[in-house]
Amino acid sequence: MLLSNAASVDNITLFVALICSCIIIGHLLVENKWTNESTTPLLIGLCSGVVILLRTGGTNSRLLEFDEQLFFIYLLPPIIFNAGFQVKKKQFFQNFMTIMLFGAIGTAMSFTIISFGAKNLIEMLNIGSLEIKDYLAIGAIFSATDSVCTLQILNQEETPLLYSLVFGEGVVNDAASVVLFHAIQKYDLSNINLKTALQFGESFLTLFTTSTLLGISVGLLSAFIMKKLYPGRHSPDREVALMIVMAYLSYMMAELFDLSGILTVFFCGIVMSHYTWHSMTDGSKVTTKHSFATFSFICEICIFLYVGMDALDMEKWKFVSDSPGKSVGLSAMLLGLVLIGRASFVFLLSFISNLTMKSKSEKVNLKQQVILWWAGLIRGAVSMALAYKQFTRFGHTQQPAHAIVLTSTITVVLFTTMVFGLMTKPLIRLLMPPSIFNSKVLSSEPSSPKFSMVPLLGSSQDPERDTGDQDIPRPASLSRLLSTHTIHRHWRKYDDTYMRPLFGGRGFVLPVPGSPTDNGLH
């Protein structure tokens, strides 16, 4: 967001005051079954937009103007990094293949259906001239999900499989959508042929792989530096600063090399929480954990608050005033494509995933499939940012077709966040009431990754600790040899033998005087 022409310190002060209001009101409504963290700032943004619109005589509804670069450079990285840093790695990697199936293959299926449907349906509405690149961008925009409100309701300990799938698929989905979007902008898709399609697919896979490897590399570098130098001996502030800056460095390096910053910073967060975090002093561990969660929380509020105010921007709606029916029709069509695109892969890929699972507890039942389908219907911050990047320049647009698509995007985001978001709690309680939860299947990790004071991988109940290889069936066939549990067990042995002694981690940092592990644990 940039300062508008008439903006001053007053505008920034009011925006910060609104953020404070969102935090306080959200706290008061946290137990309300009809609200969530997304709807509160949206409603406050809408109300603020009405007040500003009235005071400016209908000329403006925002305190700040949107800058898509600011979103991608400053607001998005803390949200994605915190997702990787707080992820329950054991559950995430045990369900890694299913998560990648939904997040990558599912996103590609949804992207194809929405793009193809948008091209045919929008041409029927005759809203103006759009290029093939615009239709493909619409597919990427509306393939990006926002499952935050569903995650706030699901209990990680009562439904570990469902929570892991919703969380993991949401992050991989965002990354895949942004990678698709950047690939669309990179290639000339006016004449699509087999060669172009193959180049497009190769670019997507290359971006996906190199971005992941870059995030892992920076994470391992930070772990090696933290383990060898122990900056916390002299100044805990220095090691906290080093961790924050290196996390941000991974994202900026990805942007510098035209890679996916989302994937890079996500996997950097996973590696940092697995290795780097354990080489810090106890005070720094608590500080970094809650700092990342706080940065992410504030950035999410800023995004939804702005979207709420921008929904009433007259500059965009004046193009729609001459043909409101087209805008309503386009919004309905896009919403229908979102519903169909999501359903097209959730139930099919769940069926395929269940065929590969031996244990009943690892299979996704029908009720869980419905929740997975519902969790991915909400569109949020990433969709808005991509729409602004494609159809505006510094928050402004002068083409009627672009303005109609942008207002329809805002309408879909508001509708799905407000309506679907409000219905999420009742739906989950209807399908999975607390009485049917299997209390015996509990995760050994802290229940609240954002606010728990228990270390991520700490306590005697180490979530990464093997609870006994004797409980894991020995591979008697190829399917068992390739099973998740077997792969996980071999990875743990390799990690314990080679990775942790070099990069740090629980139980492998030597108690050097003044080092983070010189605390009587050994």
Side-chain angles (χ1 to χ4, degrees):
M1 284 156 280
L2 295 172
L3 291 175
S4 60
N5 295 332
S8 63
V9 177
D10 297 340
N11 298 55
I12 300 176
T13 304
L14 287 173
F15 196 82
V16 174
L18 289 175
I19 294 175
C20 294
S21 302
C22 292
I23 296 172
I24 295 171
I25 296 174
H27 169 71
L28 295 175
L29 298 176
V30 71
E31 298 296 334
N32 191 293
K33 70 175 183 178
W34 296 106
T35 60
N36 55 66
E37 295 289 355
S38 303
T39 56
T40 301
L42 265 179
L43 286 172
I44 293 178
L46 282 170
C47 295
S48 303
V50 171
V51 174
I52 298 170
L53 199 64
L54 293 175
R55 289 186 61 86
T56 58
T59 59
N60 185 31
S61 65
R62 301 165 298 188
L63 295 172
L64 304 173
E65 289 185 358
F66 187 87
D67 178 13
E68 63 274 5
Q69 281 195 334
L70 181 63
F71 171 85
F72 283 103
I73 299 299
Y74 298 109
L75 295 181
L76 190 59
I79 298 174
I80 302 301
F81 177 82
N82 184 63
F85 191 74
Q86 306 286 6
V87 69
K88 287 176 177 277
K89 292 176 289 299
K90 186 175 181 180
Q91 285 290 336
F92 180 83
F93 286 105
Q94 281 183 345
N95 302 307
F96 185 75
M97 295 308 298
T98 305
I99 288 172
M100 293 303 296
L101 193 65
F102 280 95
I105 306 300
T107 301
M109 293 173 63
S110 177
F111 163 77
T112 303
I113 291 173
I114 294 175
S115 299
F116 181 79
K119 184 178 186 306
N120 289 276
L121 295 175
I122 291 177
E123 287 179 350
M124 292 171 55
L125 288 175
N126 192 27
I127 64 172
S129 60
L130 290 175
E131 300 177 359
I132 184 65
K133 186 174 290 189
D134 294 324
Y135 293 117
L136 294 174
I138 289 173
I141 289 167
F142 287 96
S143 295
T145 65
D146 185 357
S147 53
V148 173
C149 71
T150 307
L151 291 173
Q152 292 166 355
I153 300 166
L154 291 175
N155 189 305
Q156 301 179 71
E157 295 169 343
E158 293 176 335
T159 56
L161 172 63
L162 186 58
Y163 188 95
S164 175
L165 292 179
V166 172
F167 175 84
E169 188 253 337
V171 175
V172 177
N173 166 272
D174 284 346
S177 298
V178 174
V179 170
L180 277 171
F181 185 84
H182 288 321
I184 290 166
Q185 293 187 321
K186 184 177 180 180
Y187 286 96
D188 181 15
L189 301 173
S190 55
N191 294 313
I192 299 179
N193 51 41
L194 181 60
K195 182 179 180 181
T196 306
L198 291 175
Q199 288 179 340
F200 183 82
E202 181 184 0
S203 174
F204 177 82
L205 293 175
T206 302
L207 274 172
F208 214 91
T209 305
T210 52
S211 300
T212 301
L213 292 176
L214 177 61
I216 293 173
S217 301
V218 175
L220 291 176
L221 177 62
S222 71
F224 185 79
I225 292 173
M226 200 73 72
K227 181 177 183 293
K228 294 299 180 182
L229 299 183
Y230 298 124
R233 286 178 297 176
H234 307 298
S235 172
D237 296 339
R238 187 172 284 117
E239 66 176 349
V240 173
L242 180 64
M243 190 167 185
I244 293 175
V245 172
M246 289 202 71
Y248 189 63
L249 176 65
S250 69
Y251 186 88
M252 294 309 301
M253 287 179 66
E255 293 297 312
L256 177 66
F257 298 128
D258 292 326
L259 302 176
S260 170
I262 288 182
L263 267 179
T264 298
V265 79
F266 174 70
F267 280 97
C268 181
I270 291 179
V271 173
M272 280 189 168
S273 70
H274 188 67
Y275 297 112
T276 313
W277 188 79
H278 290 287
S279 297
M280 304 178 74
T281 59
D282 291 339
S284 298
K285 288 181 179 180
V286 176
T287 302
T288 53
K289 185 176 179 181
H290 291 279
S291 295
F292 291 135
T294 302
F295 291 153
S296 173
F297 179 63
I298 293 175
C299 289
E300 288 178 5
I301 289 178
C302 290
I303 293 168
F304 283 107
L305 189 61
Y306 179 84
V307 170
M309 288 189 290
D310 191 63
L312 300 175
D313 180 39
M314 291 297 103
E315 181 187 70
K316 302 178 185 65
W317 290 104
K318 69 181 181 182
F319 291 107
V320 183
S321 59
D322 295 334
S323 54
K326 292 183 179 180
S327 178
V328 174
L330 180 58
S331 301
M333 287 179 179
L334 291 174
L335 182 60
L337 289 173
V338 168
L339 294 169
I340 296 171
R342 181 72 183 173
S344 67
F345 73 85
V346 167
F347 300 103
L348 175 62
L349 296 183
S350 294
F351 175 75
I352 296 174
S353 176
N354 288 341
L355 292 177
T356 64
M357 299 299 175
K358 298 291 184 180
S359 173
K360 186 177 180 180
S361 62
E362 295 176 342
K363 295 184 177 182
V364 186
N365 60 45
L366 182 59
K367 290 183 178 180
Q368 291 175 329
Q369 292 176 31
V370 173
I371 294 176
L372 280 172
W373 170 71
W374 186 269
L377 294 179
I378 299 175
R379 297 296 176 266
V382 175
S383 295
M384 285 301 307
L386 294 179
Y388 275 106
K389 190 174 182 66
Q390 179 68 22
F391 298 109
T392 69
R393 294 294 177 270
F394 300 105
H396 298 277
T397 181
Q398 299 299 325
Q399 296 188 35
H402 289 182
I404 293 176
V405 172
L406 194 59
T407 54
S408 298
T409 304
I410 294 173
T411 302
V412 172
V413 170
L414 287 175
F415 183 86
T416 55
T417 303
M418 300 295 294
V419 178
F420 292 169
L422 291 176
M423 295 171 61
T424 300
K425 280 186 181 180
L427 177 68
I428 292 178
R429 289 178 179 176
L430 175 65
L431 293 176
M432 303 186 70
S435 59
I436 71 168
F437 286 144
N438 185 2
S439 59
K440 294 181 181 180
V441 185
L442 294 180
S443 170
S444 59
E445 298 177 64
S447 60
S448 178
K450 286 188 177 182
F451 304 106
S452 174
M453 295 295 290
V454 182
L456 281 174
L457 303 179
S459 79
S460 59
Q461 296 177 315
D462 189 349
E464 296 180 307
R465 198 175 99 195
D466 284 326
T467 56
D469 286 347
Q470 68 274 13
D471 296 331
I472 302 175
R474 300 299 179 185
S477 62
L478 181 61
S479 61
R480 287 195 176 186
L481 179 64
L482 298 177
S483 69
T484 306
H485 294 298
T486 305
I487 294 173
H488 180 258
R489 186 175 67 249
H490 287 303
W491 158 248
R492 283 304 313 276
K493 290 180 179 179
Y494 177 81
D495 190 31
D496 291 346
T497 306
Y498 300 105
M499 299 297 288
R500 293 192 182 195
L502 181 61
F503 297 106
R506 172 160 295 278
F508 283 93
V509 181
L510 296 177
V512 179
S515 73
T517 54
D518 185 24
N519 53 13
L521 287 177
H522 297 270

